[in-house]
Amino acid sequence: MANTYDWRINALNAKIKEDDKDNVIFTVHWSFLASDDSSPAIQASSIGTLGVQYKEGDPFIEYADLKKSDVIGWLEAGIDVESLKKSLDNQIELKKNPVDETLIPKWD
């Protein structure tokens, strides 16, 4: 079965006042999580930021009216989500079938 994915919005940086608008978001801090269908699930995640810019004439959403789905729309428009999914899928596969290990010498 395919992995499942979920966005987390960790924080939003905003200009207190920009032109005649309040709380204008300029940076989204995000996490993107992937889980397989095993029990317990094997998970992988990636974190990052995305700069967004309000331009005069663009539809403006007041912070009080802003929904997670609005912010996810910004993320999906500004990030290569398919590439991100492939990277997380690879991380999960490496957890299932590791190719590297860490050896800790017991010298002295």
XYZ file of all heavy atoms in Angstrom:
859
model
N 0.839 -1.176 0.000
C 0.000 0.000 0.000
C 0.890 1.247 0.000
O 2.008 1.241 0.492
C -0.905 -0.030 1.223
C -1.920 1.051 1.246
S -3.167 0.639 2.494
C -4.407 1.762 1.981
N 0.373 2.319 -0.519
C 1.146 3.559 -0.656
C 1.292 4.273 0.690
O 0.477 4.105 1.591
C 0.461 4.482 -1.652
N 2.329 5.067 0.789
C 2.528 5.888 1.977
C 1.483 6.995 2.025
O 0.951 7.410 0.998
C 3.932 6.494 1.967
C 5.005 5.449 2.102
O 4.795 4.392 2.686
N 6.183 5.724 1.568
N 1.218 7.481 3.222
C 0.321 8.619 3.385
C 1.141 9.825 3.829
O 2.205 9.672 4.449
C -0.791 8.331 4.420
O -0.187 7.964 5.666
C -1.689 7.193 3.945
N 0.634 11.010 3.519
C 1.380 12.243 3.745
C 0.499 13.251 4.477
O -0.717 13.259 4.311
C 1.841 12.839 2.414
C 2.585 11.842 1.572
C 1.911 11.077 0.615
C 3.942 11.625 1.750
C 2.578 10.135 -0.140
C 4.616 10.682 1.000
C 3.933 9.940 0.051
O 4.590 9.006 -0.688
N 1.151 14.117 5.260
C 0.403 15.118 6.010
C 1.263 16.366 6.202
O 2.453 16.262 6.528
C 0.010 14.546 7.382
C -0.895 15.468 8.162
O -1.737 16.153 7.561
O -0.752 15.499 9.405
N 0.658 17.518 5.987
C 1.321 18.796 6.235
C 1.090 19.220 7.679
O 0.004 19.029 8.220
C 0.738 19.895 5.343
C 1.099 19.829 3.910
C 0.301 19.399 2.886
C 2.334 20.225 3.309
N 0.973 19.505 1.691
C 2.221 20.012 1.923
C 3.526 20.741 3.819
C 3.255 20.299 1.045
C 4.558 21.028 2.933
C 4.413 20.806 1.568
N 2.090 19.816 8.279
C 1.964 20.486 9.574
C 2.434 21.927 9.360
O 3.492 22.150 8.766
C 2.835 19.834 10.648
C 2.474 18.398 10.915
C 1.221 18.271 11.778
N 0.580 16.968 11.677
C 0.935 15.877 12.304
N 1.980 15.891 13.081
N 0.249 14.758 12.146
N 1.660 22.854 9.826
C 2.061 24.259 9.778
C 2.584 24.602 11.169
O 1.823 24.646 12.131
C 0.877 25.177 9.385
C 0.152 24.654 8.135
C 1.365 26.624 9.212
C 1.023 24.423 6.923
N 3.891 24.799 11.278
C 4.537 24.990 12.572
C 4.467 26.431 13.064
O 4.369 26.663 14.272
C 5.989 24.540 12.504
C 6.099 23.096 12.066
O 5.290 22.261 12.418
N 7.101 22.807 11.244
N 4.544 27.383 12.147
C 4.496 28.801 12.512
C 4.324 29.626 11.250
O 4.614 29.165 10.145
C 5.774 29.221 13.244
N 3.862 30.844 11.442
C 3.716 31.804 10.347
C 4.348 33.113 10.793
O 4.004 33.624 11.861
C 2.237 32.045 10.022
C 1.413 30.825 9.622
C -0.072 31.168 9.616
C 1.847 30.313 8.261
N 5.281 33.636 9.998
C 5.818 34.966 10.266
C 4.953 35.969 9.506
O 4.600 35.731 8.354
C 7.259 35.100 9.789
C 8.211 34.196 10.529
O 8.865 33.378 9.912
N 8.289 34.318 11.841
N 4.626 37.085 10.177
C 3.748 38.068 9.552
C 4.232 39.487 9.829
O 4.787 39.769 10.897
C 2.322 37.904 10.076
N 3.998 40.358 8.864
C 4.173 41.791 9.071
C 2.984 42.256 9.904
O 1.837 41.944 9.577
C 4.192 42.554 7.746
C 5.344 42.183 6.835
C 6.626 42.756 7.357
C 7.754 42.473 6.373
N 9.038 42.826 6.941
N 3.237 42.965 10.974
C 2.152 43.451 11.815
C 1.226 44.347 10.988
O 0.009 44.235 11.054
C 2.697 44.199 13.039
C 3.472 43.211 13.927
C 1.573 44.883 13.817
C 4.260 43.856 15.039
N 1.823 45.213 10.158
C 1.057 46.111 9.301
C 1.799 46.252 7.992
O 3.004 46.489 7.988
C 0.926 47.464 10.000
C 0.008 48.429 9.340
C -1.402 48.009 9.538
C -2.273 49.100 10.119
N -3.682 48.745 9.987
N 1.111 46.060 6.886
C 1.692 46.284 5.557
C 0.619 46.949 4.714
O -0.453 46.375 4.492
C 2.149 44.975 4.923
C 2.865 45.185 3.604
C 3.487 43.914 3.064
O 4.298 43.296 3.795
O 3.158 43.537 1.943
N 0.923 48.144 4.241
C -0.074 48.981 3.564
C -1.260 49.136 4.514
O -1.087 49.537 5.641
C -0.459 48.393 2.203
C 0.754 48.302 1.261
O 1.620 49.191 1.329
O 0.831 47.345 0.477
N -2.422 48.759 4.097
C -3.585 48.868 4.980
C -4.011 47.513 5.521
O -5.111 47.353 6.033
C -4.757 49.536 4.243
C -5.218 48.723 3.049
O -4.450 47.879 2.548
O -6.374 48.921 2.611
N -3.128 46.518 5.433
C -3.436 45.153 5.875
C -2.721 44.844 7.185
O -1.610 45.306 7.428
C -2.997 44.121 4.821
C -3.479 44.404 3.404
C -4.937 44.130 3.259
C -5.325 44.215 1.798
N -6.477 45.030 1.555
N -3.367 44.036 8.025
C -2.767 43.573 9.277
C -2.343 42.112 9.138
O -2.997 41.340 8.441
C -3.776 43.664 10.432
C -4.163 45.102 10.753
O -3.314 45.998 10.571
O -5.312 45.320 11.177
N -1.275 41.752 9.844
C -0.812 40.358 9.910
C -0.636 39.730 8.530
O -1.207 38.692 8.216
C -1.772 39.516 10.759
C -1.841 40.008 12.174
O -0.825 40.378 12.749
N -3.027 40.031 12.742
N 0.194 40.355 7.722
C 0.460 39.873 6.368
C 1.549 38.798 6.445
O 2.699 39.084 6.779
C 0.872 41.025 5.430
C 1.194 40.498 4.037
C -0.234 42.083 5.373
N 1.174 37.572 6.144
C 2.103 36.432 6.230
C 3.206 36.591 5.188
O 2.939 36.872 4.022
C 1.355 35.100 5.995
C 0.143 34.957 6.919
C 2.311 33.909 6.096
C 0.444 35.000 8.384
N 4.471 36.367 5.628
C 5.576 36.387 4.675
C 6.433 35.128 4.720
O 7.194 34.867 3.793
C 6.436 37.656 4.812
C 7.170 37.798 6.121
C 8.437 37.259 6.287
C 6.590 38.488 7.174
C 9.123 37.404 7.489
C 7.269 38.645 8.381
C 8.531 38.095 8.543
N 6.321 34.310 5.763
C 7.048 33.042 5.817
C 6.183 31.980 6.480
O 5.587 32.229 7.527
C 8.372 33.164 6.611
O 9.169 34.207 6.050
C 9.159 31.862 6.578
N 6.148 30.815 5.848
C 5.456 29.650 6.404
C 6.525 28.655 6.844
O 7.393 28.276 6.050
C 4.533 28.987 5.355
C 3.866 27.743 5.930
C 3.512 29.976 4.822
N 6.487 28.248 8.102
C 7.366 27.199 8.626
C 6.547 25.905 8.623
O 5.486 25.848 9.243
C 7.803 27.532 10.061
C 8.583 28.803 10.153
N 9.954 28.821 10.232
C 8.184 30.103 10.167
C 10.369 30.078 10.293
N 9.306 30.873 10.257
N 7.032 24.892 7.911
C 6.234 23.690 7.688
C 6.998 22.414 7.992
O 8.235 22.414 8.020
C 5.718 23.639 6.248
C 6.815 23.742 5.220
C 7.264 24.878 4.607
C 7.623 22.676 4.696
N 8.300 24.582 3.743
C 8.533 23.236 3.776
C 7.663 21.302 4.915
C 9.466 22.472 3.072
C 8.600 20.537 4.220
C 9.478 21.129 3.310
N 6.235 21.355 8.222
C 6.755 19.978 8.263
C 5.880 19.170 7.321
O 4.667 19.396 7.237
C 6.644 19.375 9.664
O 7.404 20.093 10.590
N 6.490 18.226 6.628
C 5.754 17.315 5.755
C 6.104 15.914 6.221
O 7.282 15.552 6.281
C 6.153 17.533 4.294
C 5.241 16.895 3.299
C 3.890 17.206 3.243
C 5.723 15.980 2.375
C 3.042 16.639 2.308
C 4.896 15.402 1.442
C 3.554 15.730 1.400
N 5.092 15.150 6.608
C 5.304 13.834 7.201
C 4.784 12.738 6.287
O 3.748 12.908 5.639
C 4.589 13.750 8.550
C 5.053 14.770 9.572
C 4.092 15.945 9.582
C 5.153 14.158 10.913
N 5.494 11.627 6.272
C 5.075 10.441 5.523
C 5.037 9.254 6.472
O 5.882 9.146 7.365
C 6.042 10.155 4.377
N 4.058 8.383 6.280
C 3.927 7.162 7.082
C 3.578 6.010 6.157
O 2.792 6.178 5.224
C 2.796 7.299 8.110
O 3.059 8.327 9.002
N 4.146 4.841 6.449
C 3.726 3.660 5.706
C 2.562 3.022 6.456
O 2.096 3.537 7.467
C 4.888 2.692 5.461
C 5.294 1.902 6.685
O 4.791 2.182 7.789
O 6.124 0.997 6.551
N 2.089 1.882 5.948
C 0.902 1.255 6.546
C 1.245 0.112 7.499
O 0.366 -0.649 7.880
C -0.060 0.775 5.455
C 0.567 -0.246 4.530
O 1.787 -0.472 4.618
O -0.162 -0.818 3.706
N 2.510 -0.003 7.896
C 2.876 -1.067 8.834
C 2.424 -0.683 10.246
O 2.041 0.455 10.513
C 4.381 -1.325 8.796
O 5.093 -0.198 9.236
N 2.482 -1.644 11.138
C 2.104 -1.383 12.520
C 3.238 -1.855 13.430
O 3.504 -3.058 13.477
C 0.810 -2.108 12.867
O 0.441 -1.832 14.186
N 3.934 -0.994 14.119
C 3.745 0.450 14.093
C 4.265 1.054 12.781
O 5.157 0.494 12.133
C 4.562 0.947 15.277
C 5.639 -0.076 15.444
C 5.022 -1.387 15.020
N 3.704 2.190 12.421
C 4.065 2.835 11.152
C 5.513 3.308 11.174
O 6.012 3.767 12.196
C 3.140 4.008 10.891
N 6.147 3.169 10.038
C 7.477 3.747 9.840
C 7.257 5.125 9.248
O 6.491 5.278 8.293
C 8.337 2.861 8.921
C 8.555 1.498 9.589
C 9.665 3.545 8.611
C 9.272 0.494 8.720
N 7.914 6.128 9.828
C 7.678 7.495 9.425
C 8.960 8.196 9.012
O 10.054 7.811 9.421
C 7.032 8.277 10.571
C 5.697 7.705 11.002
C 5.101 8.462 12.169
O 5.799 8.918 13.062
N 3.777 8.603 12.141
N 8.780 9.223 8.205
C 9.872 10.106 7.810
C 9.280 11.502 7.709
O 8.072 11.657 7.507
C 10.470 9.674 6.482
N 10.138 12.507 7.854
C 9.622 13.870 7.763
C 10.670 14.813 7.196
O 11.864 14.510 7.188
C 9.166 14.368 9.134
O 10.263 14.456 10.014
N 10.182 15.935 6.735
C 11.038 16.995 6.235
C 10.481 18.306 6.771
O 9.266 18.445 6.935
C 11.027 16.994 4.706
O 11.898 17.980 4.201
N 11.362 19.242 7.074
C 10.909 20.546 7.544
C 11.514 21.622 6.654
O 12.537 21.399 6.000
C 11.279 20.810 9.018
C 12.791 20.802 9.208
C 10.603 19.827 9.929
C 13.237 21.297 10.571
N 10.862 22.761 6.638
C 11.394 23.851 5.843
C 10.584 25.117 6.029
O 9.673 25.183 6.857
N 10.946 26.114 5.249
C 10.211 27.365 5.221
C 9.917 27.723 3.780
O 10.632 27.312 2.858
C 10.999 28.524 5.871
O 12.224 28.711 5.146
C 11.300 28.252 7.323
N 8.848 28.478 3.601
C 8.501 28.994 2.278
C 8.163 30.465 2.439
O 7.311 30.822 3.253
C 7.296 28.246 1.692
C 6.803 28.782 0.345
C 7.810 28.459 -0.765
C 5.431 28.249 0.004
N 8.860 31.291 1.672
C 8.534 32.712 1.654
C 7.337 32.948 0.751
O 7.264 32.397 -0.355
N 6.402 33.727 1.233
C 5.237 34.103 0.427
C 5.147 35.621 0.427
O 5.621 36.283 1.355
C 3.926 33.475 0.968
C 3.955 31.964 0.800
C 3.679 33.839 2.413
N 4.569 36.143 -0.640
C 4.517 37.591 -0.757
C 3.128 38.016 -1.188
O 2.597 37.529 -2.189
C 5.557 38.064 -1.774
C 5.654 39.551 -1.887
C 6.783 39.983 -2.813
O 7.379 39.178 -3.512
N 7.076 41.269 -2.815
N 2.550 38.903 -0.410
C 1.266 39.494 -0.779
C 1.544 40.633 -1.745
O 2.385 41.494 -1.493
C 0.535 40.015 0.462
C -0.662 40.862 0.119
C -1.811 40.274 -0.395
C -0.637 42.234 0.278
C -2.908 41.046 -0.736
C -1.728 43.013 -0.057
C -2.854 42.421 -0.566
O -3.935 43.180 -0.911
N 0.847 40.606 -2.864
C 0.979 41.683 -3.848
C -0.347 42.425 -3.904
O -1.412 41.817 -3.898
C 1.331 41.111 -5.211
C 2.655 40.399 -5.245
C 2.933 39.843 -6.635
C 4.104 38.911 -6.583
N 3.761 37.523 -6.668
N -0.259 43.741 -3.942
C -1.468 44.561 -4.047
C -2.308 44.060 -5.219
O -1.797 43.792 -6.299
C -1.091 46.037 -4.255
C -2.238 46.998 -4.079
C -2.781 47.015 -2.656
O -1.989 46.987 -1.702
O -4.009 47.052 -2.517
N -3.572 43.860 -4.964
C -4.477 43.348 -5.990
C -4.742 41.853 -5.855
O -5.727 41.340 -6.371
N -3.834 41.125 -5.160
C -4.078 39.703 -4.900
C -5.212 39.583 -3.886
O -5.383 40.466 -3.045
C -2.831 39.031 -4.301
C -1.735 38.785 -5.321
O -1.986 38.972 -6.524
O -0.621 38.410 -4.895
N -5.959 38.481 -3.939
C -6.956 38.285 -2.882
C -6.241 38.163 -1.535
O -5.239 37.464 -1.420
C -7.633 36.964 -3.245
C -7.068 36.534 -4.551
C -5.928 37.422 -4.901
N -6.710 38.882 -0.545
C -6.085 38.868 0.775
C -7.014 38.167 1.749
O -8.207 38.471 1.810
C -5.789 40.290 1.257
C -5.107 40.332 2.593
C -3.756 40.044 2.699
C -5.812 40.635 3.746
C -3.113 40.066 3.932
C -5.180 40.672 4.988
C -3.821 40.384 5.074
N -6.462 37.239 2.518
C -7.237 36.531 3.526
C -6.809 37.060 4.887
O -5.635 36.979 5.244
C -6.994 35.000 3.454
C -7.303 34.471 2.053
C -7.832 34.286 4.509
C -6.840 33.042 1.823
N -7.747 37.615 5.615
C -7.463 38.086 6.965
C -6.974 36.901 7.807
O -7.457 35.775 7.652
C -8.716 38.688 7.610
C -9.242 39.919 6.914
C -8.366 41.142 7.105
O -7.582 41.184 8.079
O -8.454 42.051 6.269
N -6.030 37.167 8.717
C -5.484 36.087 9.536
C -6.589 35.325 10.274
O -6.560 34.102 10.341
C -4.449 36.628 10.529
C -3.879 35.535 11.392
C -2.969 34.621 10.864
C -4.287 35.382 12.708
C -2.467 33.593 11.635
C -3.787 34.353 13.493
C -2.873 33.459 12.948
O -2.391 32.435 13.712
N -7.571 36.016 10.782
C -8.666 35.371 11.521
C -9.467 34.416 10.629
O -10.088 33.478 11.124
C -9.596 36.425 12.122
N -9.427 34.642 9.325
C -10.169 33.805 8.373
C -9.287 32.772 7.677
O -9.783 31.950 6.903
C -10.839 34.684 7.309
C -11.844 35.650 7.906
O -12.504 35.276 8.904
O -11.965 36.772 7.387
N -7.988 32.827 7.937
C -7.038 31.931 7.275
C -7.236 30.498 7.752
O -7.364 30.244 8.951
C -5.605 32.389 7.582
C -4.476 31.732 6.820
C -4.571 32.032 5.322
C -3.135 32.221 7.363
N -7.276 29.565 6.810
C -7.448 28.144 7.123
C -6.167 27.393 6.762
O -5.392 27.831 5.912
C -8.621 27.566 6.340
C -9.959 28.186 6.704
C -11.052 27.597 5.821
C -12.393 28.196 6.124
N -12.508 29.593 5.814
N -5.993 26.246 7.397
C -4.847 25.392 7.080
C -4.828 25.081 5.590
O -3.770 25.088 4.956
C -4.913 24.102 7.905
C -3.742 23.173 7.672
C -3.842 21.922 8.538
C -2.664 20.988 8.286
N -2.756 19.764 9.085
N -5.989 24.846 5.000
C -6.056 24.513 3.569
C -5.544 25.666 2.701
O -4.965 25.420 1.639
C -7.479 24.126 3.170
O -8.376 25.185 3.432
N -5.736 26.916 3.129
C -5.193 28.061 2.380
C -3.670 28.004 2.361
O -3.036 28.175 1.323
C -5.635 29.383 3.013
C -7.137 29.593 2.997
O -7.782 29.265 1.979
O -7.668 30.081 4.015
N -3.094 27.754 3.540
C -1.632 27.725 3.658
C -1.074 26.528 2.891
O -0.047 26.640 2.212
C -1.202 27.722 5.135
C 0.313 27.658 5.264
C -1.748 28.951 5.851
N -1.743 25.387 2.956
C -1.303 24.222 2.186
C -1.324 24.540 0.700
O -0.421 24.137 -0.046
C -2.160 22.985 2.527
C -1.825 22.510 3.944
C -1.950 21.868 1.510
C -2.746 21.424 4.475
N -2.314 25.288 0.259
C -2.350 25.719 -1.146
C -1.125 26.523 -1.521
O -0.546 26.339 -2.597
N -0.695 27.422 -0.627
C 0.528 28.191 -0.885
C 1.729 27.262 -0.964
O 2.586 27.405 -1.844
C 0.776 29.211 0.217
C -0.291 30.231 0.428
C -1.308 30.566 -0.438
C -0.462 31.051 1.579
N -2.089 31.534 0.123
C -1.592 31.865 1.363
C 0.218 31.174 2.780
C -2.040 32.791 2.294
C -0.225 32.097 3.712
C -1.342 32.904 3.467
N 1.804 26.307 -0.030
C 2.936 25.370 -0.015
C 2.972 24.543 -1.289
O 4.029 24.383 -1.912
C 2.847 24.453 1.202
C 3.057 25.124 2.563
C 2.700 24.161 3.690
C 4.477 25.623 2.707
N 1.836 24.015 -1.689
C 1.805 23.150 -2.872
C 2.064 23.924 -4.158
O 2.522 23.347 -5.139
C 0.482 22.385 -2.911
C 0.439 21.356 -1.784
C -0.829 20.521 -1.724
O -1.834 20.876 -2.378
O -0.807 19.507 -0.996
N 1.805 25.235 -4.144
C 2.125 26.065 -5.305
C 3.607 26.445 -5.341
O 4.153 26.713 -6.415
C 1.271 27.330 -5.296
N 4.271 26.423 -4.168
C 5.648 26.903 -4.101
C 6.711 25.851 -3.890
O 7.899 26.158 -3.928
N 6.302 24.596 -3.672
C 7.259 23.518 -3.386
C 7.011 22.368 -4.347
O 5.867 22.072 -4.694
C 7.088 23.027 -1.921
C 7.451 24.143 -0.933
C 7.922 21.776 -1.650
C 7.147 23.814 0.503
N 8.074 21.701 -4.762
C 7.948 20.504 -5.602
C 7.536 19.333 -4.713
O 8.376 18.609 -4.179
C 9.278 20.224 -6.304
C 9.221 19.041 -7.260
O 8.204 18.305 -7.281
O 10.207 18.845 -7.995
N 6.230 19.175 -4.534
C 5.693 18.185 -3.599
C 6.020 16.756 -4.051
O 6.326 15.901 -3.219
C 4.172 18.375 -3.400
C 3.604 17.317 -2.476
C 3.885 19.768 -2.852
N 5.974 16.484 -5.336
C 6.275 15.128 -5.823
C 7.708 14.733 -5.488
O 7.968 13.603 -5.077
C 5.992 14.998 -7.320
C 4.513 14.990 -7.657
C 3.715 13.945 -6.866
O 4.136 12.775 -6.821
O 2.684 14.324 -6.270
N 8.631 15.664 -5.634
C 10.026 15.402 -5.278
C 10.157 15.172 -3.772
O 10.896 14.280 -3.326
C 10.899 16.570 -5.720
O 12.225 16.383 -5.327
N 9.434 15.951 -2.990
C 9.445 15.797 -1.541
C 8.904 14.429 -1.140
O 9.474 13.738 -0.292
C 8.615 16.913 -0.921
C 8.697 17.141 0.574
C 10.122 17.314 1.061
C 7.854 18.351 0.953
N 7.820 13.997 -1.771
C 7.249 12.678 -1.488
C 8.252 11.571 -1.822
O 8.426 10.626 -1.048
C 5.964 12.462 -2.281
C 4.786 13.234 -1.745
C 3.546 12.963 -2.588
C 2.333 13.698 -2.066
N 1.134 13.433 -2.877
N 8.923 11.695 -2.959
C 9.909 10.681 -3.347
C 11.039 10.600 -2.327
O 11.506 9.512 -1.986
C 10.463 10.980 -4.742
C 9.502 10.674 -5.853
C 10.093 11.008 -7.212
C 9.051 10.821 -8.296
N 9.549 11.243 -9.610
N 11.483 11.746 -1.841
C 12.547 11.772 -0.834
C 12.092 11.082 0.451
O 12.838 10.280 1.030
C 12.953 13.215 -0.547
O 13.880 13.266 0.507
N 10.868 11.371 0.902
C 10.362 10.741 2.121
C 10.136 9.245 1.916
O 10.418 8.442 2.815
C 9.077 11.426 2.575
C 9.241 12.888 3.015
C 7.895 13.494 3.367
C 10.211 13.020 4.164
N 9.640 8.863 0.746
C 9.478 7.439 0.435
C 10.817 6.723 0.524
O 10.917 5.612 1.059
C 8.887 7.246 -0.965
C 7.444 7.710 -1.081
O 6.771 7.932 -0.049
O 6.979 7.861 -2.237
N 11.868 7.360 0.012
C 13.210 6.779 0.060
C 13.696 6.646 1.503
O 14.293 5.635 1.874
C 14.183 7.625 -0.763
C 15.538 6.978 -0.878
O 15.651 5.817 -1.248
N 16.583 7.733 -0.562
N 13.426 7.660 2.329
C 13.815 7.585 3.743
C 13.128 6.405 4.436
O 13.757 5.677 5.210
C 13.443 8.878 4.469
C 14.295 10.073 4.107
C 13.843 11.317 4.846
O 13.569 11.263 6.045
N 13.766 12.431 4.139
N 11.841 6.218 4.146
C 11.106 5.096 4.746
C 11.684 3.775 4.266
O 11.892 2.851 5.055
C 9.596 5.209 4.435
C 8.991 6.358 5.256
C 8.876 3.884 4.725
C 7.549 6.681 4.929
N 11.974 3.677 2.980
C 12.542 2.438 2.437
C 13.896 2.136 3.082
O 14.190 0.981 3.394
C 12.677 2.549 0.915
C 13.143 1.279 0.246
C 12.240 0.068 0.496
O 11.007 0.238 0.622
O 12.777 -1.057 0.578
N 14.703 3.169 3.321
C 16.006 2.957 3.964
C 15.853 2.541 5.429
O 16.708 1.840 5.962
C 16.876 4.213 3.858
C 17.456 4.473 2.465
C 18.124 5.838 2.418
C 18.425 3.378 2.068
N 14.787 2.966 6.075
C 14.532 2.504 7.440
C 14.124 1.035 7.434
O 14.486 0.281 8.337
C 13.446 3.350 8.100
C 13.915 4.739 8.481
C 12.811 5.530 9.157
C 13.296 6.904 9.576
N 12.262 7.649 10.321
N 13.392 0.631 6.400
C 12.972 -0.774 6.290
C 14.140 -1.667 5.888
O 14.262 -2.794 6.365
C 11.865 -0.912 5.236
C 10.540 -0.328 5.634
C 9.549 -0.503 4.483
C 8.199 0.076 4.793
N 7.269 -0.069 3.657
N 14.979 -1.168 4.998
C 16.098 -1.935 4.434
C 17.364 -1.088 4.460
O 17.790 -0.564 3.434
C 15.771 -2.356 2.994
C 14.537 -3.196 2.926
O 14.485 -4.281 3.469
N 13.496 -2.679 2.269
N 17.971 -0.946 5.623
C 19.144 -0.068 5.733
C 20.316 -0.548 4.883
O 20.501 -1.749 4.671
C 19.499 -0.127 7.217
C 18.501 -0.992 7.885
C 17.619 -1.599 6.860
N 21.089 0.425 4.415
C 22.303 0.114 3.645
C 23.559 0.618 4.363
O 24.661 0.343 3.927
C 22.231 0.695 2.215
C 21.115 0.036 1.415
C 22.050 2.202 2.232
N 23.368 1.365 5.437
C 24.481 1.899 6.217
C 24.269 1.571 7.691
O 23.140 1.324 8.126
C 24.564 3.431 6.083
C 24.866 3.870 4.667
O 25.762 3.294 4.039
O 24.184 4.809 4.202
N 25.364 1.598 8.433
C 25.285 1.438 9.875
C 26.350 2.305 10.511
O 27.303 2.723 9.858
C 25.461 -0.027 10.290
C 26.838 -0.593 9.996
C 26.992 -2.045 10.400
O 26.200 -2.534 11.214
O 27.916 -2.683 9.901
N 26.181 2.589 11.772
C 27.165 3.352 12.525
C 27.890 2.396 13.467
O 27.249 1.691 14.255
C 26.485 4.466 13.343
O 25.789 5.326 12.445
C 27.503 5.253 14.144
N 29.200 2.364 13.346
C 30.024 1.509 14.189
C 30.722 2.391 15.223
O 31.326 3.400 14.885
C 31.068 0.774 13.344
C 30.489 -0.071 12.200
C 31.611 -0.638 11.341
C 29.620 -1.185 12.752
N 30.607 2.021 16.466
C 31.229 2.782 17.554
C 32.346 1.946 18.135
O 32.094 0.923 18.789
C 30.183 3.138 18.624
C 29.059 3.967 17.971
C 30.845 3.887 19.783
C 27.882 4.198 18.860
N 33.595 2.343 17.885
C 34.713 1.559 18.397
C 34.777 1.605 19.915
O 34.462 2.607 20.529
C 35.947 2.224 17.767
C 35.495 3.527 17.244
C 34.016 3.506 17.117
N 35.190 0.521 20.482
C 35.285 0.406 21.959
C 36.750 0.456 22.365
O 37.146 -0.242 23.296
C 34.621 -0.899 22.397
C 33.197 -0.982 21.940
C 32.308 -1.444 23.047
C 30.916 -1.651 22.534
N 29.984 -0.665 22.924
N 37.551 1.252 21.683
C 38.959 1.386 22.025
C 39.101 2.234 23.274
O 38.435 3.227 23.451
C 39.726 2.037 20.886
C 39.559 1.333 19.567
C 39.549 0.000 19.370
C 39.351 1.935 18.305
N 39.374 -0.304 18.046
C 39.256 0.905 17.353
C 39.270 3.235 17.847
C 39.062 1.127 16.009
C 39.090 3.458 16.499
C 38.986 2.409 15.606
N 40.016 1.866 24.109
C 40.385 2.544 25.357
C 39.254 2.577 26.294
O 38.314 2.980 26.552
C 40.940 3.946 25.107
C 42.237 3.871 24.304
O 42.825 2.790 24.184
O 42.643 4.926 23.799
